[in-house]
Amino acid sequence: MSAVARILLRRLALLVPLLLGIVLFVFLVMRFSDVDPASAFFQGADPSPAQLRAFRERNGLLDPLPVRYVHFVGDLLHGDLGTSALTRTPVLDQVATALPLTLQLTFLGLGIAVVLALVGGVVAAIHRDRAADHVVRVLSLVGVAAPAFWLALLMIQYLALDRGWFPTGGYINPADSVTGWLRTLALPALALSLPVAAQLTRIVRTSVVEELDKDYVRTAIGAGLPPRVVVGRNVLRNALVTPLTVLGLRVGYLLGGAVVIETIFALPGMGKLMIDAVQNGDPAVVQGVALTTATGFVVVNLAIDVLYLLVNPRLRDSAR
């Protein structure tokens, strides 16, 4: 078995207790919250105590917590996230409708952040202590200090309302119009990605500068290899190890920031679904969104670990 396969199997083995821990945490938080599933189910009505008790008995709400947790995990294994108290529809259907948009926004923002960070970081490192480096460092400092929601509001004001280049909100499915889809997600993805891009740019610059100062780079250039070949083939590969580690953590920021950004731009994704569920007192939907988001974060970090293995040969060698 290869070193990569062994490391990947260890990561997958750790994934099971981690997911169970997430499920347990969400379960306990929801069970000790002030929201009563029975009252939420009958919201807008005036149920009698007998009706409330019958609902709790029918749904196992009077069972001991360990029993309820086992049933909860069993339902999850069968793909049952519960039923919305507001719409009386399965939570899984609502999540399946909202999740694609959030994934589109998150990964579009991630792609923008990675491209900006690579270009800015490499340019700043190659031209260190010169004008291009100073400009990139100032812009990255501003980007780190600027909250995503503030950038979103500025973009709506100056790029949507004043100039009309982009819509102020709403969503167009890419199956209907790719151009319309890009226009509706351009500002949200840009607002979401800029703070992450600014942080990654500083890390990429530092990593590339450290690699450029190593002996093998001077030897390769002295041997006649063009600098762009050395940077592209060797420096970037070695310098991306640290940024990849940070990138895995930033995915969580992107998923969390999507909640606010989707609300600002009126996008019908997981964020809006969560906010509406909290405002309407719909605990099953809140629970389903929290579980799906946390699981997505774990899975994406596993994918980042795989990329980390691919670009870090020393880690593969240590596992042999």
Side-chain angles (χ1 to χ4, degrees):
M1 184 182 293
S2 67
V4 174
R6 285 197 297 271
I7 296 174
L8 187 57
L9 285 176
R10 287 203 294 267
R11 296 286 196 279
L12 290 173
L14 291 173
L15 195 63
V16 175
L18 181 58
L19 290 175
L20 288 176
I22 291 172
V23 170
L24 178 61
F25 176 77
V26 173
F27 172 81
L28 292 177
V29 168
M30 295 305 301
R31 294 313 172 271
F32 288 106
S33 69
D34 294 332
V35 180
D36 180 16
S39 300
F41 182 82
F42 289 104
Q43 60 182 316
D46 187 17
S48 65
Q51 288 177 308
L52 291 174
R53 181 172 182 81
F55 177 86
R56 295 187 178 105
E57 289 179 347
R58 187 168 61 251
N59 291 275
L61 300 178
L62 300 179
D63 295 336
L65 273 181
V67 176
R68 294 167 62 184
Y69 177 69
V70 171
H71 291 162
F72 179 63
V73 173
D75 290 339
L76 290 179
L77 292 176
H78 288 88
D80 184 5
L81 292 177
T83 302
S84 169
L86 186 66
T87 63
R88 305 293 196 271
T89 59
V91 174
L92 183 62
D93 292 346
Q94 297 188 40
V95 169
T97 301
L99 183 60
L101 190 151
T102 298
L103 292 178
Q104 292 167 25
L105 176 60
T106 299
F107 285 104
L108 185 59
L110 184 64
I112 294 173
V114 169
V115 171
L116 292 178
L118 285 177
V119 173
V122 171
V123 168
I126 293 176
H127 300 88
R128 78 177 88 171
D129 298 327
R130 285 183 276 178
D133 184 23
H134 296 316
V135 170
V136 170
R137 293 168 71 177
V138 169
L139 290 177
S140 63
L141 184 61
V142 173
V144 170
F149 73 87
W150 181 73
L151 292 173
L153 294 175
L154 287 182
M155 290 177 184
I156 290 175
Q157 178 63 48
Y158 293 107
L159 299 180
L161 292 176
D162 291 351
R163 290 167 177 79
W165 293 347
F166 299 94
T168 58
Y171 174 71
I172 296 177
N173 195 298
D176 299 328
S177 172
V178 175
T179 303
W181 173 75
L182 285 174
R183 292 187 72 245
T184 54
L185 286 189
L187 293 187
L190 194 59
L192 190 62
S193 67
L194 286 180
V196 176
Q199 295 173 2
L200 287 177
T201 298
R202 297 164 66 89
I203 297 170
V204 169
R205 178 196 177 277
T206 302
S207 296
V208 173
V209 165
E210 291 176 354
E211 288 297 319
L212 288 174
D213 288 339
K214 291 183 177 178
D215 292 337
Y216 79 87
V217 176
R218 289 192 289 268
T219 301
I221 294 178
L225 288 176
R228 65 177 181 275
V229 174
V230 177
V231 171
R233 289 183 180 177
N234 303 105
V235 172
L236 268 183
R237 184 184 181 91
N238 296 327
L240 286 180
V241 173
T242 301
L244 268 179
T245 306
V246 177
L247 182 63
L249 300 176
R250 292 296 89 195
V251 171
Y253 168 86
L254 290 171
L255 287 171
V259 174
V260 178
I261 297 299
E262 287 174 0
T263 303
I264 292 175
F265 286 94
L267 297 173
M270 295 286 280
K272 188 174 185 303
L273 183 62
M274 170 73 89
I275 295 298
D276 290 344
V278 171
Q279 291 176 341
N280 296 322
D282 200 340
V285 176
V286 174
Q287 180 175 267
V289 172
L291 283 172
T292 304
T293 304
T295 302
F297 174 70
V298 171
V299 171
V300 169
N301 272 272
L302 177 63
I304 296 295
D305 283 345
V306 174
L307 289 176
Y308 187 82
L309 290 173
L310 294 177
V311 301
N312 191 359
R314 289 172 295 182
L315 187 61
R316 298 197 300 270
D317 294 339
S318 65
R320 290 174 179 170

